[in-house]
Every structure is written in C-alpha cells, then in structure tokens.
C-alpha cells in the first residue's frame, strides 16, 4: 500500500498544525453522534473547505468505520484520492475494521490514482475479509481493473461471483466495451438475465463509437421492442450512429421519438440532433433545431456552423460566426476548415489573424489546416511564419504537425527544409514517410523517392495505397519504367493492395510518357473501374507527343464525353490535328467548342514579391507594370538569341511567321512572371513561379537558358510538379 510521507501530504500540514488543543478537546469530548453528523455535513457539502474536514477528522482518537468512510468519500470526490488511500492505511494501523463500503471507496480511489500495485493489494485484503457477495464493492473492483486496462483480472473477479445483479453485469459489459472488446461485450450482454437502459445504452454507444452504426441502430430498435424506455444518453448514441451512416430517415424517426417521449433536450442531445441533420444533408432541419432551442448553447452554434461549412455554404456559416458573442477555438477551426474546403484559402489565412487577435491560441488542428493552405498556395513566406510560431509556442512538435510542416515545405519546392523537419521528428508513421516520398516525386527526385520508400520498409513500416501513389508518381515523373512496373505488381502480390484509380493514372502516365502507347491502352482497357478525366487527358497528351492519331481520337472522344464542358479534350485534339497538318479537322474542333460554349482556360502564372502576390495572364497588355515588363522582356529575348535560342515552332498552334511566333511564346505567363522576378527580386534570391497549366517545351528550354545567363535559381510549379532550374539544367532532366 501507499506509505505516508511528509512531502506527499505537506499540502494539508499547515491546517493540521493550526488546530488548538482546546479545539481537539471539544471535538473528542463531544457526543459521538453529533461529531459524526458534523463531519458528514461538512464532508458532503461540495463548497466546504476540505482542509477543515481533515483537521476535524485528525483529532478523532479512534474514529469509527463510518467516520473513516465519510472522509474517504469526501477526499475521493474532491480529487484527493491518494489521501483517501492514506486514511485506509491509518485505519488498519489503528485496528479499525473496514466494511465493504470502505473497499468500494478504496477501489475507486486506486483507479482514480492509477495505482495498480496498491489496487491489487487492496483486492487481496478484501478477499481475506469478505466473500464474493458484496456487490457494490465488487462492482467498484471490476471497474478498477478496467481502468487499469487489466481486463483479464476484471473477468476473473466477475467469474468468481455466483449471483450477479444487473449492475455487475452492466459493469462487465461496459468494461469490455471500453477496452475495445466489443464482440466479447456483446456475448456477455446476450447472457444477461436482465437488462436495463444503461446496459442497452452501453452496447449502442459502443457500436456507434467504433464505427458500426448499423448495429447501433439495430440494437436501439431491439431495446424498444423489449419495452425499455431510452434515456437521453441512448438517444445521443443512436443519433450519432445515424450521423455516421448518413441515415436521415432513421434520424428523423429517432427525433420524433424524442419529442413523443417528452425527453428533456439537454446540451448533448441538442448538439447531436443538429449534427445528425447537418451530416445527413438536411441543413434546413438542422437550422430549425438550432433556431428553436440551440441559441443559448455554444456547442450548438459550433455544430450548425460546422454543418454549413461541410455543406459548402461558407457564407451562411460566416454570417452565423459574426453573430456569435464569443466563438471558441472549435468555431474558428470549423470556419478555417470550411474556407479551405471551399478553396477560399486567403480567407482561411485572414481568419487565422482574427483568431490570434481574439486572444485564443491555435491548436495543432488549426496549424495543420493552415499549413495545407500554404502548401496549396505555395505561400512559403506564410508557411515559414507558421513554422516559427510552432517553434516558439509549442514545446513539442508531434507527428501530426511534423508531417504537416514537411508536406508544406515539399509542396513549396523546399525539399531541403522538408528533409530537416523529417530528420528532427522523434517518431514517424506511414503518413510522414509518404509525405517525403511524394515530396521527392513532385520535385523531380524520383530516385531519392524510391530510396526513401526502401528506407521506410527497412524501418518495418508497411506501405499503404497512398505511399504507392507517391512511389508510382516518382517513377512516372522520372521515366523509371521498370521500377514502376515492379512496384505496381508488388503492391498487389506482396501487400495485397488493390490498385485504385490514382495508381492506374500513374501507370498510364508513365507508359505514355515513354511511348509505350499499346501497353498504356491495354492497361486502360483492363481497369476494373471507369477511367477518369485525368487518365484520358494524360493518355491523350502522350498520343499527341508520339503522333498516334487513332489513339488520340479515341481518348479525346472519351474525354469529351466525360467532360463536355471543359476545354482539355477539345484543345488537345485540336493541337494534335494542327501537328499533323489536318487543318480542316482542327477547324471542326474549334467550331464545336464555339457551338457548345466551351472556352479555353486562360494560362496564368503568379509570383510573390515582398509578401504580395502578382498574377500574370498570357498575352495580357493591361497589367500596370506592362511597360517595364516589355523592356526587360526585350533584353531577355536579345540575350537568349545571342546565346543560340531558337523557338520551338510547334508550340504555337496557328500558322504565323517567325516574328509573331517569338512574340507569342515570350508572352507566355511563366516567362512574364520570371521577367518580373528578375526586375523586382535581389540578384541572389531564387525566383518562385506558380503556373496553372503545364509548362510548354519552348518555355522549359528558354527558362533553362535564363537560369544560366542570369545565374539565378528558378523554381516553376506547374499543375503536376516542380521544375528546379539551375545552371542551364532542370531537375526533371527534360522528362515531364
């Protein structure tokens, strides 16, 4: 048992020393019943000073078992469970015989203090003094072993009991459910001779909590058939199951039962009703519940705002957010996540500023969400600010934040920083390894990605389907055909992972890039699911490069059927016809686009200078800095020509002369952005550009020369990957 020590109970010593001899004499000489009543009244009063109760108790020469139990209960209720255990030790030393209620309190105190050794010792003393018929103490004992996660010991106690009441049965069922043994809990539940609303609710809650909503709802229905009246906890559990399964019909039926049975709508039930309707897509009913009974409850505000965010109605969520008196961190996180999911990323970052101004501190979920925003916007400067905030304000970066940080750096093209974050992480899971693999792949470092994958497996971490997407992407971007085919087969044979559409997309892209069109076609036709627009667009691009008109027309037709309102299929097929000199067919495609109202997506690029984002559209003459840009562009054109630059004519899909071709190519948005970077950024600073479409061959060739002539590092992120230009070379090795 716990030994008494001055240090452990020094908190109480000042009060004990203050008791005068006169007070002690008055207490001891008082009538035993009066002292007991006084002690109990002080101990039971939650607002009373526990120190006075302890002082009073300490002057009882030989307190009764009842008096000891009273003070043990008071200490336990006020979270001084270790002192409750100390009182038991003093009882044994003074020869005061404990009763079964003493042990009930003792087992509870041991579980609250997580003192397993002392709990086992208390169990030993109990069985020497009592039989296995003291149900309340045994219930507390079983609960103690459950809290220690020693479920086998709990079962041994349970099995020793000859006659069990419903409370004992329910405690055992609850213990098994709490420790994750839900099927075992169900077996014990089915053996129960009598079940009450608590035992039924334990099972409903267990099924709901472990993602088995159908079984939760079925158990709820059986409870009703047994004639058991559900309480608010049971209703909360079954409504949570309806939310998980998106079962609006059952959710409405349960809500009707709540009203029919006149169940008191407490905070949990109100919030769960709003959440159920919102997650089931009935935001109007969610709002109706909120408007009628939820305005006074902060969690209800959070639930309805989160519901609107998840439905994509971010403006209505923002309107409610502004009406709130004091939004908390949960509210801010819901709004920030809503902005992210609605692709309103700048507003998410702006809301983070509001969060800090409110005096609230962001948690790791806030920060990881914002890091994903910075990754999407390639907002490296803001990402670094978030990193600095994390370093200053958080004592430890956990695996969740670490993965968010390295993913942000990787998607901003800073693999050196991503590697530093990764190496500093104390623990790494499959997602952190996968973020590194995908980062290397995106930044054109295919072989490093495969080395990282090999290291992950050597660490004993089993790859999942997401990790293999990163691996196959790395092979695709680096032209590693044999490695790609091997890993594609390996994921199925070695790890029993069924390829998803993303894996097929990587393989079609890989085979198409190297000209293996027949193999790519065969793979497309063998897919177990319908190819998506990404696969058809990738294959069509490869068909254009390798001038296979039959396959190009096939893939274009499929793409146009799948995405009739988007320009990709039309434009790619138009350019393919132009390359082949089939002007009439090209003209028909353009006419088709005009008839269907399909417009070509304008190419644009952006660059951040001194914290401000500048956006450039191909051929745009209305930009406020157009005169300066044109002057610098003429200088760039002159130096490139002097160094041997020759434009790639095929990149302009119209029949124009040489001079017009050059002017058109130099009007591509990424070149304008680079021009602006040369103008405004210091000569030693790298130039980072983001483009919404794929970099064309001519721009790729020109940027390599610019990087060498101006001695600049230029990083261009197009819609699928990064290009790191340095000393006349690109990280993609001209394969992208």
């Amino acid at each position: 048992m716990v030994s008494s020590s001055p240090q452990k109970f020094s908190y109480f010593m000042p009060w004990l020393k203050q008791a005068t001899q006169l007070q002690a004499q008055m207490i001891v000489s008082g009538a035993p019943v009066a002292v007991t009543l006084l002690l109990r009244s002080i101990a039971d009063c939650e607002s009373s000073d526990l120190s006075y109760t302890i002082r009073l108790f300490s002057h009882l020469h030989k307190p009764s078992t009842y008096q000891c139990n009273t003070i043990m209960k008071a200490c336990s209720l006020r979270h001084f469970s270790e002192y409750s255990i100390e009182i038991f030790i003093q009882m044994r030393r003074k020869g005061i015989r404990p009763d079964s209620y003493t042990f009930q309190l003792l087992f509870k105190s041991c579980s609250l203090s997580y003192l397993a050794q002392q709990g086992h010792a208390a169990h030993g003393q109990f069985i020497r003094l009592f039989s296995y018929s003291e149900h309340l103490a045994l219930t507390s004992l079983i609960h103690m072993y459950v809290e220690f996660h020693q479920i086998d010991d709990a079962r041994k106690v349970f099995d020793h009991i000859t006659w069990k009441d419903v409370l004992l049965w329910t405690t055992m069922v609850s213990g098994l459910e709490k420790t994750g043994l839900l099927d075992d809990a169900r077996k014990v539940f089915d053996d129960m001779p009598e079940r009450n609303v608590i035992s039924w609710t334990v099972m409903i809650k267990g099924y709901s909590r472990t993602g088995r909503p159908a079984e939760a709802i079925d158990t709820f229905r059986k409870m009703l058939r047994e004639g058991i009246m559900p309480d608010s906890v049971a209703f909360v559990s079954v409504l949570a199951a309806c939310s998980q399964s998106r079962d609006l019909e059952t959710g409405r039926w349960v809500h009707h039962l709540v009203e029919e049975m006149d169940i008191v709508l407490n905070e949990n039930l109100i919030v769960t009703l709003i959440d159920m309707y919102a997650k089931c897509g009935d935001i109007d009913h969610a709002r109706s519940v909120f408007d009628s009974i939820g305005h006074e409850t902060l969690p209800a505000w959070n639930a309805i705002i989160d519901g609107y965010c998840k439905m994509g109605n971010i403006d209505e969520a923002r309107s409610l957010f502004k009406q709130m008196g004091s939004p908390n961190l949960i509210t801010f996180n819901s709004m920030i996540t809503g902005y992210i999911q609605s692709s309103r990323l700048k507003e998410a970052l702006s809301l983070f500023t509001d969060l800090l101004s409110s005096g609230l501190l962001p948690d790791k979920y806030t920060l990881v969400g914002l890091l994903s925003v910075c990754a999407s916007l390639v907002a490296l400067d803001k990402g670094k600010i978030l990193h600095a905030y994390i370093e200053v304000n958080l004592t430890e970066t956990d695996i969740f934040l670490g993965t968010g940080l390295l993913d942000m750096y990787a998607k901003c093209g800073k693999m050196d920083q991503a590697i530093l974050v990764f190496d500093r992480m104390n623990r790494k899971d499959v997602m952190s390894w996968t973020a590194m693999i995908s980062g290397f792949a995106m930044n054109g470092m295919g072989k490093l990605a495969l080395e990282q994958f090999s290291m992950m497996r050597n660490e004993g971490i089993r790859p999942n389907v997401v990790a293999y997407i990163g691996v196959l992407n790395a092979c695709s971007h680096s032209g590693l055909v044999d490695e790609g085919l091997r890993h594609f087969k390996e994921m199925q044979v070695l790890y029993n992972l069924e390829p998803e559409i993303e894996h097929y997309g990587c393989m079609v892209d890989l085979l198409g890039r190297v000209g293996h069109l027949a193999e790519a076609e065969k793979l497309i036709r063998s897919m177990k699911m319908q190819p998506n627009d990404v696969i058809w667009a990738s294959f069509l691009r490869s068909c254009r490069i390798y001038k296979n008109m039959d396959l190009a027309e096939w893939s274009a037709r499929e793409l146009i059927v799948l995405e009739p309102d988007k320009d990709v299929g039309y434009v790619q097929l138009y350019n393919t016809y132009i390359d082949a000199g089939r002007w009439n067919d090209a003209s028909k495609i353009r006419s088709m686009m005009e008839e269907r109202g399909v417009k070509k997506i304008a190419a644009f690029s952006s660059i951040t200078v001194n914290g401000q984002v500048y956006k450039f559209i191909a051929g745009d003459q209305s930009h406020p800095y157009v005169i300066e840009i044109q002057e610098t562009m003429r200088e760039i054109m002159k130096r490139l020509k002097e160094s041997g630059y020759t434009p790639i004519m095929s990149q302009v899909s119209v029949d124009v002369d040489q001079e017009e071709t050059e002017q058109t190519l130099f009007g591509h948005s990424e070149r304008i952005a680079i021009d602006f970077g040369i103008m405004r950024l210091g000569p030693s600073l790298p130039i980072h550009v983001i483009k919404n479409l794929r970099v064309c061959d001519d721009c790729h060739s020109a940027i390599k020369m610019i990087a060498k002539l101006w001695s600049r590092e230029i990083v261009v992120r197009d819609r699928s990957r990064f290009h790191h230009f340095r000393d006349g070379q690109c990280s993609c090795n001209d394969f992208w």
Side-chain angles (χ1 to χ4, degrees):
M1 297 297 295
V2 175
S3 60
S4 178
S5 65
Q7 291 81 8
K8 184 178 293 185
F9 303 108
S10 60
Y11 179 76
F12 301 106
M13 293 308 294
W15 298 317
L16 298 178
K17 290 176 181 178
Q18 288 173 11
T20 65
Q21 201 65 30
L22 177 61
Q23 287 173 315
Q25 289 174 0
M26 290 174 63
I27 293 169
V28 174
S29 63
V33 175
V35 173
T36 299
L37 289 173
L38 177 61
L39 185 68
R40 189 178 69 182
S41 64
I42 297 172
D44 288 348
C45 180
E46 292 184 7
S47 61
S48 67
D49 190 345
L50 184 61
S51 63
Y52 185 79
T53 311
I54 293 170
R55 187 170 65 186
L56 173 64
F57 178 77
S58 68
H59 290 291
L60 297 177
H61 177 63
K62 190 171 183 179
S64 67
T65 301
Y66 182 84
Q67 290 169 338
C68 291
N69 290 347
T70 301
I71 194 68
M72 285 178 69
K73 178 184 176 183
C75 290
S76 179
L77 288 173
R78 290 167 175 79
H79 307 292
F80 289 103
S81 52
E82 291 191 20
Y83 192 72
S84 181
I85 298 170
E86 182 68 20
I87 292 170
F88 177 80
I89 296 171
Q90 297 301 326
M91 285 179 67
R92 303 302 287 152
R93 287 175 181 169
K94 293 179 179 181
I96 303 168
R97 181 180 175 84
D99 58 16
S100 65
Y101 185 58
T102 311
F103 280 97
Q104 182 184 342
L105 295 167
L106 180 61
F107 295 143
K108 181 180 179 181
S109 295
C110 289
S111 64
L112 288 172
S113 304
Y114 294 99
L115 297 171
Q117 185 177 352
Q118 289 78 2
H120 280 282
H123 182 188
Q125 293 196 43
F126 174 80
I127 59 177
R128 285 196 293 271
L129 295 172
F130 300 96
S131 67
Y132 276 92
S133 61
E134 302 291 340
H135 282 185
L136 290 176
L138 291 168
T139 300
S140 184
L141 177 59
I142 291 171
H143 177 76
M144 179 190 77
Y145 280 128
V146 170
E147 290 298 305
F148 295 158
H149 298 285
Q150 297 173 351
I151 200 68
D152 290 339
D153 289 318
R155 279 180 165 178
K156 287 176 184 176
V157 173
F158 182 77
D159 292 339
H160 268 93
I161 304 169
T162 306
W163 181 83
K164 308 174 183 73
D165 62 8
V166 68
L167 179 59
L168 267 169
W169 280 99
T170 303
T171 301
M172 192 67 239
V173 172
S174 178
L176 290 165
E177 184 274 326
K178 183 181 274 188
T179 52
L181 301 171
L182 190 56
D183 292 328
D184 290 350
R186 184 60 193 234
K187 290 176 184 176
V188 176
F189 176 82
D190 288 340
D191 289 337
M192 291 179 69
E194 177 190 357
R195 307 183 188 99
N196 60 15
V197 65
I198 299 174
S199 47
W200 281 98
T201 302
V202 166
M203 290 307 306
I204 297 167
K205 184 178 180 181
Y207 283 130
S208 180
R209 187 176 61 84
T210 55
R212 296 161 66 172
E215 290 164 283
I217 295 169
D218 183 59
T219 303
F220 180 79
R221 293 181 185 275
K222 287 178 180 177
M223 178 178 72
L224 294 178
R225 288 197 293 269
E226 292 283 334
I228 304 296
M229 176 75 74
D231 60 10
S232 62
V233 180
F235 277 115
V236 166
S237 299
V238 73
L239 285 167
C242 294
S243 298
Q244 287 180 39
S245 58
R246 305 296 190 263
D247 188 347
L248 180 59
E249 183 180 352
T250 302
R252 285 174 174 165
W253 167 68
V254 173
H255 187 190
H256 177 71
L257 284 178
V258 169
E259 295 175 332
E260 194 176 68
M261 295 179 180
D262 203 23
I263 300 294
V264 176
L265 289 168
N266 59 27
E267 182 178 295
N268 283 343
L269 192 48
I270 292 169
V271 171
T272 308
L273 275 168
I274 294 170
D275 185 66
M276 181 276 294
Y277 279 121
K279 286 181 177 172
C280 290
D282 190 350
I283 196 67
D284 291 337
H285 265 89
R287 182 62 179 266
S288 177
V289 173
F290 173 76
D291 287 340
S292 60
I293 51 180
H295 276 97
E296 302 302 318
T297 306
L298 178 59
W301 282 90
N302 288 338
I304 190 65
I305 287 172
D306 188 61
Y308 276 118
C309 287
K310 285 185 168 61
M311 292 289 292
N313 193 342
I314 191 70
D315 292 324
E316 187 63 33
R318 181 71 184 197
S319 174
L320 284 167
F321 178 80
K322 289 179 178 178
Q323 295 174 41
M324 290 183 71
S326 300
N328 62 8
L329 183 58
I330 295 172
T331 330
F332 274 99
N333 281 351
S334 292
M335 286 300 306
I336 289 171
T337 303
Y339 278 129
I340 293 169
Q341 292 172 344
S342 300
S343 299
R344 292 164 65 169
L345 306 182
K346 293 179 181 178
E347 287 167 285
L349 287 173
S350 175
L351 195 60
F352 177 63
T353 304
D354 296 341
L355 167 63
L356 295 178
S357 301
S358 72
L360 294 170
L361 295 176
D363 61 10
K364 65 180 180 181
Y365 301 104
T366 322
L367 293 166
V368 168
L370 291 167
L371 286 169
S372 73
V373 171
C374 295
S376 299
L377 293 174
V378 197
L380 181 60
D381 291 342
K382 289 183 172 63
K384 285 180 176 179
I385 292 170
L386 285 173
H387 191 180
Y389 180 90
I390 291 167
E391 293 286 340
V392 171
N393 293 282
L394 300 183
T395 55
E396 185 177 350
T397 303
D398 68 0
I399 195 168
F400 190 55
L401 267 175
T403 303
L405 276 169
L406 71 89
D407 185 62
M408 180 274 294
Y409 279 121
K411 288 177 179 174
C412 288
K414 297 293 290 182
M415 282 308 298
D416 53 343
Q417 292 295 318
I419 292 168
L420 285 175
V421 173
F422 183 78
D423 289 344
R424 286 179 56 192
M425 291 174 66
N426 295 325
R427 190 169 68 87
K428 307 174 182 75
D429 63 4
V430 66
M431 294 311 298
S432 45
W433 283 93
T434 298
M436 285 300 295
I437 293 165
S438 300
F440 281 126
M442 184 186 301
N443 284 275
M445 306 171 186
K447 291 185 178 178
L448 286 176
L450 297 185
E451 288 176 14
Q452 194 80 4
F453 181 67
S454 178
M455 289 166 61
M456 180 184 80
R457 294 199 292 185
N458 290 340
E459 290 287 328
I461 296 178
R462 179 186 174 89
N464 58 17
V465 290
V466 181
Y468 269 105
I469 292 173
V471 168
L472 296 178
N473 252 325
C475 295
S476 173
H477 288 314
S478 300
L480 304 172
V481 180
D482 293 339
E483 291 87 341
L485 292 169
R486 175 168 58 83
H487 285 298
F488 185 66
K489 183 178 180 181
E490 172 191 87
M491 68 176 288
Q492 302 171 68
V493 176
L494 189 58
Y495 294 106
N496 198 31
L497 296 172
E498 192 67 26
E500 298 178 356
I501 197 161
E502 291 85 359
H503 302 98
Y504 283 108
C506 292
M507 291 306 298
V508 169
D509 191 56
L510 170 60
L511 293 168
R513 283 174 186 271
V514 296
H516 296 182
L517 300 183
E519 291 93 328
E521 178 195 3
K522 183 179 179 182
L523 184 62
I524 291 172
R525 294 186 185 279
S526 71
M527 288 173 58
K528 297 179 181 179
M529 68 285 290
Q530 289 296 317
N532 61 11
D533 59 320
V534 176
I535 290 176
W536 287 122
S538 169
F539 187 58
L540 175 54
R541 184 170 56 250
S542 297
C543 293
R544 179 193 174 191
I545 292 170
Y546 291 100
K547 305 185 186 308
N548 188 317
M549 289 303 305
D550 291 337
L551 290 180
E553 289 177 325
W554 171 57
S555 53
R557 282 196 304 270
E558 295 291 341
L559 181 56
I560 290 170
V561 168
L562 197 63
E563 299 280 1
D565 299 325
K566 293 187 178 180
D567 72 326
V568 179
Y570 303 96
V571 172
Q572 285 281 14
L573 186 57
Y574 172 84
N575 289 335
T576 304
Y577 284 141
I578 291 293
D579 292 345
R582 293 169 57 173
W583 304 102
N584 288 337
D585 290 326
S587 178
K588 289 177 183 178
I589 294 297
R590 176 168 281 183
S591 298
M592 187 187 300
M593 290 179 68
E594 291 174 355
E595 289 169 8
R596 297 181 179 182
V598 179
K599 294 184 178 180
K600 186 180 183 300
I601 296 174
F604 66 84
S605 298
S606 62
I607 184 172
T608 301
V609 177
N610 296 326
Q612 183 174 345
V613 178
Y614 295 87
K615 183 177 176 180
F616 302 94
I617 299 172
D620 183 16
Q621 298 294 310
S622 62
H623 198 279
Y625 299 102
V626 65
I627 296 176
E628 290 180 74
I629 290 169
Q630 287 176 347
E631 289 178 0
T632 307
M633 189 63 74
R634 281 192 286 271
E635 174 65 20
I636 292 174
M637 289 175 65
K638 178 184 175 184
R639 291 184 62 177
L640 284 177
K641 285 183 179 180
E642 290 173 351
S643 299
Y645 164 76
T646 302
I648 301 174
M649 301 292 291
S650 62
Q651 299 301 304
V652 180
S653 301
V654 289
D655 189 14
V656 296
D657 61 25
Q658 175 81 12
E659 185 176 348
E660 286 182 277
T661 296
E662 291 179 6
Q663 293 291 341
T664 301
L665 290 171
F666 273 91
H668 283 192
S669 63
E670 61 267 51
R671 297 202 206 185
I672 302 174
I674 291 168
D675 177 317
F676 192 75
I678 291 172
M679 287 166 46
R680 294 301 177 90
L681 291 171
S684 62
L685 294 177
I687 298 171
H688 287 260
V689 172
I690 308 168
K691 183 174 182 180
N692 67 326
L693 301 177
R694 183 178 181 270
V695 176
C696 75
D697 293 343
D698 187 75
C699 283
H700 193 270
S701 176
I703 297 169
K704 285 196 298 182
M705 295 182 70
I706 293 170
K708 184 174 182 178
L709 290 172
W710 271 262
S711 300
R712 302 293 287 259
E713 178 187 354
I714 301 174
V715 181
V716 178
R717 178 183 173 180
D718 65 15
R719 65 181 175 188
S720 63
R721 64 171 300 161
F722 278 94
H723 297 267
H724 296 260
F725 298 93
R726 190 183 292 112
D727 298 326
Q729 302 294 323
C730 180
S731 58
C732 73
N733 294 315
D734 298 337
F735 186 88
W736 80 99

